[in-house]
């Protein structure tokens, strides 16, 4: 679910992480400890001024992504959009998208038919698709997921397929190749799957009715089409 951004003030963030003293800098720390006449109010004002230089914006999605149990990845295997050729040429039609899928799926060792069926279910091969929840592009990446996959433009088909395939591949690794579980996690979130104790496809079959109907249909649709093509 797409969430509004929430802002965490730098001074609060610093206190939580025990870094207030470090954030002040040596000059301010020396003034605060060495000048007995330095008033509390002046110190507070100066503290706020100094900390404002380090103020950062933290997305609620980024916090929840850690709590949700989503797999974490290194950016090493995903080229930067500013890198050589990446993100500069976008497939124009379905055949070009399919070619990109085969290339990218091979890179991440994911079945290209699986990636194609996820794209079909998510966006029906429309690179400009946007869901009501804010998921974007061919593989319907939420903004937080896109950022974690180093995707700068979710509407760029190559970037979207690369980020989505990398994320799907991570879920397949997390659930040891259990395709139904990985698909359910892609749709409903790995945190929800883990809380239900679903780790294998057998677990999924036994507990599918505890998942949203949308997720049940999503998994059935994709696995059904995969079975037809084999």
């Amino acid at each position: 679910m797409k969430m509004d951004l929430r802002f965490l003030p730098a001074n609060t963030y610093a206190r939580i992480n025990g870094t207030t003293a470090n954030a002040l800098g040596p000059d301010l720390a020396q003034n605060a400890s060495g000048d007995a006449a330095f008033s509390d109010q002046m110190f507070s004002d100066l503290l706020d001024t100094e900390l404002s230089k380090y103020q950062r914006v933290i997305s609620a999605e980024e916090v929840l992504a850690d709590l949700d149990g989503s797999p974490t990845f290194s950016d090493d295997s995903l080229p930067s959009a500013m890198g050589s050729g990446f993100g500069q040429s976008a497939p124009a039609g379905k055949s070009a998208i399919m070619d990109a899928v085969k290339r990218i799926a091979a890179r991440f060792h994911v079945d290209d038919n699986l990636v194609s069926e996820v794209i079909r279910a998510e966006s029906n091969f429309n690179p400009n698709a946007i869901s009501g929840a804010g998921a974007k592009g061919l593989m319907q990446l939420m903004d937080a997921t896109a950022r974690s996959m180093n995707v700068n433009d979710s509407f760029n088909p190559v970037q979207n397929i690369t980020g989505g395939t990398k994320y799907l591949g991570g879920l397949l690794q997390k659930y040891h190749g259990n395709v139904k579980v990985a698909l359910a996690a892609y749709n409903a979130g790995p945190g929800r799957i883990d809380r239900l104790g679903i780790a294998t496809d057998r677990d999924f079959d036994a507990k599918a009715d505890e998942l949203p109907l949308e997720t049940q249909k999503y998994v059935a649709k994709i696995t059904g089409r995969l079975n037809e093509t084999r």
Side-chain angles (χ1 to χ4, degrees):
M1 179 175 68
K2 176 65 177 176
M3 300 186 65
D4 293 332
L5 295 179
R6 298 290 186 262
F7 301 101
L8 187 62
N11 52 356
T12 302
Y13 182 81
R15 286 198 301 272
I16 291 173
N17 286 277
T19 59
T20 302
N22 293 332
L24 297 180
D27 294 337
L28 180 58
Q30 182 178 359
N31 289 341
S33 60
D35 188 354
F38 195 74
S39 72
D40 290 342
Q41 184 59 47
M42 290 177 65
F43 178 79
S44 177
D45 292 343
L46 186 54
L47 174 63
D48 289 340
T49 299
E50 288 296 314
L51 287 177
S52 68
K53 298 175 184 178
Y54 305 93
Q55 188 170 10
R56 56 178 295 185
V57 177
I58 299 178
S59 163
E61 291 169 326
E62 293 176 277
V63 176
L64 292 178
D66 290 335
L67 298 177
D68 192 40
S70 298
T72 55
F73 304 88
S74 164
D75 289 336
D76 294 343
S77 56
L78 184 58
S80 166
M82 299 303 292
S84 176
F86 185 77
Q88 296 177 9
S89 59
K94 184 176 177 181
S95 62
I97 289 173
M98 295 298 288
D99 288 342
V101 165
K102 289 181 180 179
R103 251 185 359 259
I104 294 166
R107 184 193 308 167
F108 294 109
H109 308 290
V110 177
D111 181 358
D112 61 288
N113 290 319
L114 175 59
V115 176
S116 296
E117 292 307 327
V118 168
I119 292 174
R120 189 191 307 276
E122 292 285 353
S123 66
N124 198 26
F125 297 94
N126 177 6
N128 298 312
I130 305 177
S131 76
K136 300 171 182 174
L138 289 168
M139 298 188 74
Q140 290 290 276
L141 301 179
M142 295 296 290
D143 288 344
T145 303
R147 285 193 297 272
S148 71
M149 296 295 103
N150 201 30
V151 173
N152 296 326
D153 181 4
S154 290
F155 297 113
N156 179 293
V158 173
Q159 289 194 42
N160 192 289
I161 295 168
T162 303
T165 302
K166 183 180 180 182
Y167 182 64
L168 179 60
L171 292 172
L172 287 166
Q173 290 179 9
K174 174 181 171 70
Y175 298 111
H176 305 289
N178 286 273
V179 175
K180 290 182 179 179
V181 185
L183 288 172
Y186 192 97
N187 180 260
R192 185 172 220 161
I193 301 304
D194 294 344
R195 285 191 293 273
L196 289 173
I198 298 176
T200 67
D201 286 351
R202 179 175 294 183
D203 293 337
F204 175 85
D205 291 338
K207 299 183 178 182
D209 58 354
E210 298 181 46
L211 289 166
L213 184 59
E214 174 195 343
T215 301
Q216 297 176 46
K217 291 181 177 179
Y218 179 86
V219 174
K221 178 180 180 180
I222 293 175
T223 56
R225 289 190 63 89
L226 286 173
N227 290 333
E228 289 174 5
T229 59
R230 289 171 180 167

